[in-house]
């Protein structure tokens, strides 16, 4: 698998992880069947996608990128779907997460 394909799987994992997080909130403590089932399916597919990424990209870089991007995406979903508006400090923290993901991917060694 090429590096480009790995990053495409990483994007897929972020989308699936964000979907899982969004439906987990909608599941209301797993009391609603449909969002609970969607949560379970998307998290399993997310983990499969991550396992494919880790064949090429080191686990630390993979997980740091996945976690950071999923946090940003989930916070964005929270704004639009659940009307959860972040304050200034939250925005600063999210900005630092973005900076961290960029540093790890652009300046980190890939042969860890």
């Amino acid at each position: 698998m090429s590096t480009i394909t790995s990053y495409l799987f990483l994007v897929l994992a972020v989308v699936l992880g964000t979907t899982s997080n969004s439906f987990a909130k909608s599941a209301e403590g797993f009391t609603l069947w449909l969002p609970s089932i969607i949560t379970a399916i998307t998290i399993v597919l997310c983990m499969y996608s991550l396992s494919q990424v880790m064949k090429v990209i080191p686990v630390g870089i993979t997980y740091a990128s996945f976690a950071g991007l999923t946090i940003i995406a989930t916070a964005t979903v929270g704004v639009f779907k659940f009307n959860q508006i972040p304050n200034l400090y939250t925005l600063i923290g999210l900005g630092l997460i973005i900076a961290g993901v960029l540093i790890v991917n652009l300046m980190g060694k890939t042969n860890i």
Side-chain angles (χ1 to χ4, degrees):
M1 176 183 318
S2 71
T3 303
I4 292 173
T5 304
S6 294
Y7 276 103
L8 290 174
F9 267 105
L10 181 60
V11 170
L12 177 61
V14 170
V15 170
L16 290 166
T18 304
T19 302
S20 177
N21 293 338
S22 175
F23 277 97
K25 171 146 177 61
S26 299
E28 295 183 19
F30 293 104
T31 59
L32 300 176
W33 282 99
L34 185 59
S36 298
I37 291 169
I38 293 172
T39 299
I41 291 170
T42 54
I43 198 67
V44 168
L45 292 173
C46 173
M47 290 298 114
Y48 172 78
S49 297
L50 278 177
S51 73
Q52 297 303 305
V53 175
M54 290 180 200
K55 289 180 179 178
V56 176
I57 301 171
V59 67
I61 292 173
T62 297
Y63 200 75
S65 302
F66 166 75
L69 295 172
T70 303
I71 289 167
I72 299 300
T74 301
T76 303
V77 168
V79 169
F80 292 104
K81 186 175 179 183
F82 302 111
N83 199 31
Q84 299 171 341
I85 308 302
N87 64 21
L88 175 63
Y89 298 107
T90 303
L91 292 174
I92 291 169
L94 292 172
L96 291 170
I97 290 170
I98 293 169
V101 169
L102 289 172
I103 290 169
V104 165
N105 281 280
L106 298 177
M107 297 178 184
K109 290 185 177 183
T110 57
N111 58 357
I112 295 175

